[in-house]
Amino acid sequence: MIVIGGGLAGLSSAVALAEAGHRVRLLEKRPHLGGRAASYVLPGGEHVDNCQHVTLGCCTNLEDFYRRVGAADKIRFFDQLLFAAPDGRRGAMESFPLPPPLHMALSFARFPLLGWADKLAIARALLTIARSGGRPVEISTGSVTMLDWLQKHRQTERAIRRFWEVILVSALDEELDRIDARYGIDVFWKAFLSTRGGYRVGIPCVPLGELYEGCREAIVGRGGEVLLRAGVRGIQVTRNQVTGIEREDGSVETADYYVTAVPQDILPALLPADVVEREAVFLNLRNLRTSPITGVHLWFDKKIMGEPFLTMLDSTTQWVFNKTQLYGGGAATEGQYLQLVISASYNLVPRSRQEIIELCLNELRGVLPGIREAKLLKGTVVKETSATFSPAPGSDQWRPAQKSPLAGLFLAGDWTFTGWPSTMEGAVRSGYLAAEAILSDVGAPRKFLRPDLPAEGLCRFWARES
Ligand SMILES: Cc1cc2nc3c(=O)[nH]c(=O)nc-3n(C[C@H](O)[C@H](O)[C@H](O)COP(=O)(O)OP(=O)(O)OC[C@H]3O[C@@H](n4cnc5c(N)ncnc54)[C@H](O)[C@@H]3O)c2cc1C
């Protein structure tokens, strides 16, 4: 089997196929594994993630994948979400021993950064979501935006800004008026309502690249190969059947089955033009729009942040991660490395790196007062202009299943149809689904896909069969 692409989709399909007893050859264009969820070393020697990546307790397949490749203990889960207002006031959300969907009600009631009118409006809307099992009928067409739905459910302006937007823009990397309400509502159902632990934030305590060390072993140990700097230039097709792939060095390789796990804007360029024109599955990929994420890396000479991470309200900066603490740097470590994340960062794309750093530093001053005595030693901005596909109304119709219309070719990638947005969980689901589709084709079906966390408490009665 040949797998093209060493991001999470390619790695998870390759590991699953290897576990099923197949010899896999994984070809990755870059010098490292992980794709968009990778890390690398800067010229100054700092090991940085492409961007901070977090997982949630409800990401059952990513958790399964990390376990398979021996990386599960490199993810630390946090039970408390800490929010900061621009004046520095903090508010926490966490779970209490009450049956879902009431498990977060106590911390929500005490949350100081929302007023009673906001909380009442939010509670009403959350109850509507919970009682519909995460699927209110009025959004079933896939044409309603999240903002439309929130306005229909009479959310206050502050509830939208300080609650719905804060969670959804970072979970889905898109603005509320461009999100299919089904995706938005699913986030609340899976992470915050139906289970007690779905909202827990999992953060790697090592650079992302170290999470994939066990993948090579899982593939090579079963007779396969992982090749880096091994870009594929084209997929050869004869009468609707894939017959081989051509590598960038001109060599041609053949296999019984091929999995492509490259981004959706790259796949059509690898296929013969007439095949793309003929097959709507490939032609329609151009309809999937993408949205940007900006990461800002700041190194200070002093410690200015005590918390492991913070969500910032009413500011351009959305999340601040205390990388020094997350990587286990104790009190003896000098200085501090913070990573800031801004999702759906359309406004930042045209701005200069210096401007972005100054904007973020200004916002941090209110929230982390210690910054006034600290010196910024170094700052880097990473703009990912096509970070994820946009979960816009109608986007599902362009997401293909993992079995392609070409014999021998299977598709993986966060953009293929998984029901999940563009996330690491979505990528792993796609990889498992591609492997399952191949194994069915071979006549030796096997399940890799893990189910969602089972609904608990009152939500057990409201949950619907998928
Ligand atoms: C800035 C940023 C922040 C994010 N934050 C989060 C987060 O916090 N949580 C979360 O769950 N998700 C997050 N995501 C999304 C997540 O990274 C992706 O959904 C996921 O990694 C996609 O995996 P993939 O394997 O589908 O694609 P990719 O990771 O894009 O992998 C595709 C691979 O194919 C390779 N490739 C391309 N062309 C060729 C070729 N011709 N030959 C061989 N190989 C090729 C690429 O080099 C790459 O390694 C973030 C994404 C970005 C960009």
Side-chain angles (χ1 to χ4, degrees), residues 102-336:
L102 303 174
H103 56 297
M104 297 187 92
L106 202 59
S107 69
F108 182 65
R110 289 181 188 155
F111 191 70
L113 309 177
L114 289 168
W116 280 107
D118 311 319
K119 290 181 187 177
L120 222 62
I122 294 169
R124 253 193 293 107
L126 288 177
L127 195 62
T128 304
I129 297 176
R131 294 183 61 181
S132 69
R135 296 183 201 170
V137 270
E138 74 266 22
I139 61 164
S140 57
T141 56
S143 58
V144 179
T145 71
M146 194 63 205
L147 189 62
D148 288 342
W149 190 83
L150 293 172
Q151 284 167 344
K152 181 165 175 256
H153 288 266
R154 301 194 315 279
Q155 297 301 293
T156 62
E157 185 273 328
R158 189 163 52 177
I160 292 180
R161 181 166 41 83
R162 287 197 163 182
F163 183 75
W164 300 100
E165 191 173 88
V166 168
I167 292 167
L168 290 179
V169 170
S170 36
L172 298 173
D173 185 25
E174 192 49 288
E175 290 168 353
L176 296 182
D177 60 349
R178 303 192 207 191
I179 293 174
D180 177 343
R182 290 180 305 179
Y183 279 101
I185 282 171
D186 209 39
V187 169
F188 282 93
W189 169 251
K190 288 186 175 138
F192 294 96
L193 293 168
S194 63
T195 68
R196 211 183 297 280
Y199 77 99
R200 295 173 72 229
V201 174
I203 307 183
C205 41
V206 293
L208 287 167
E210 289 184 28
L211 298 175
Y212 314 121
E213 282 164 1
C215 294
R216 183 182 288 276
E217 218 173 281
I219 298 164
V220 176
R222 294 178 173 99
E225 284 172 285
V226 175
L227 304 183
L228 302 177
R229 294 190 177 89
V232 169
R233 186 155 69 194
I235 298 170
Q236 299 174 333
V237 181
T238 312
R239 285 190 295 281
N240 257 22
Q241 161 98 37
V242 173
T243 49
I245 54 115
E246 186 187 352
R247 286 189 33 196
E248 282 172 355
D249 64 8
S251 58
V252 171
E253 297 193 12
T254 58
D256 296 332
Y257 288 90
Y258 304 82
V259 178
T260 64
V262 298
Q264 75 278 3
D265 52 343
I266 290 182
L267 176 61
L270 299 184
L271 289 163
D274 61 315
V275 172
V276 176
E277 284 300 319
R278 196 171 63 229
E279 298 292 351
V281 159
F282 303 125
L283 195 61
N284 285 338
L285 291 179
R286 61 186 175 186
N287 297 323
L288 275 177
R289 302 251 173 273
T290 56
S291 41
I293 299 181
T294 299
V296 181
H297 303 252
L298 302 172
W299 287 265
F300 294 94
D301 66 336
K302 291 191 175 57
K303 295 208 169 57
I304 58 173
M305 179 169 173
E307 301 96 344
F309 63 96
L310 269 180
T311 307
M312 284 176 52
L313 302 179
D314 301 344
S315 62
T316 302
T317 309
Q318 293 157 358
W319 289 72
V320 189
F321 294 90
N322 180 346
K323 298 293 282 184
T324 305
Q325 193 183 113
L326 291 164
Y327 285 166
T333 321
E334 267 185 38
Q336 201 165 49

Side-chain angles (χ1 to χ4, degrees), residues 4-10 27-30 34-37 50-54 230-232 248 261-263 266 270 293 384 387-388 413-414 422-425 427:
I4 309 169
L8 277 160
L27 305 173
E28 165 55 49
K29 187 183 175 97
R30 294 190 204 161
R36 276 169 278 164
N50 177 38
C51 184
Q52 177 68 53
H53 275 63
V54 304
V232 169
E248 282 172 355
V262 298
I266 290 182
L270 299 184
I293 299 181
E384 280 275 358
T388 63
D414 59 358
S422 180
T423 51
M424 297 186 286
E425 168 73 9

Side-chain angles (χ1 to χ4, degrees), residues 348-411:
L348 297 185
V349 171
R351 297 178 77 166
S352 77
R353 287 175 161 70
Q354 197 47 45
E355 259 184 290
I356 295 172
I357 290 178
E358 272 159 27
L359 172 87
C360 293
L361 287 174
N362 252 333
E363 292 181 343
L364 286 180
R365 276 187 196 107
V367 170
L368 303 171
I371 201 169
R372 296 197 177 91
E373 280 80 54
K375 188 170 157 207
L376 179 68
L377 300 175
K378 183 176 164 149
T380 302
V381 176
V382 183
K383 293 185 202 173
E384 280 275 358
T385 50
S386 296
T388 63
F389 75 80
S390 169
S395 52
D396 273 358
Q397 66 187 302
W398 315 123
R399 299 180 69 184
Q402 286 70 31
K403 188 169 166 50
S404 90
L406 301 179
L409 184 70
F410 291 77
L411 311 177

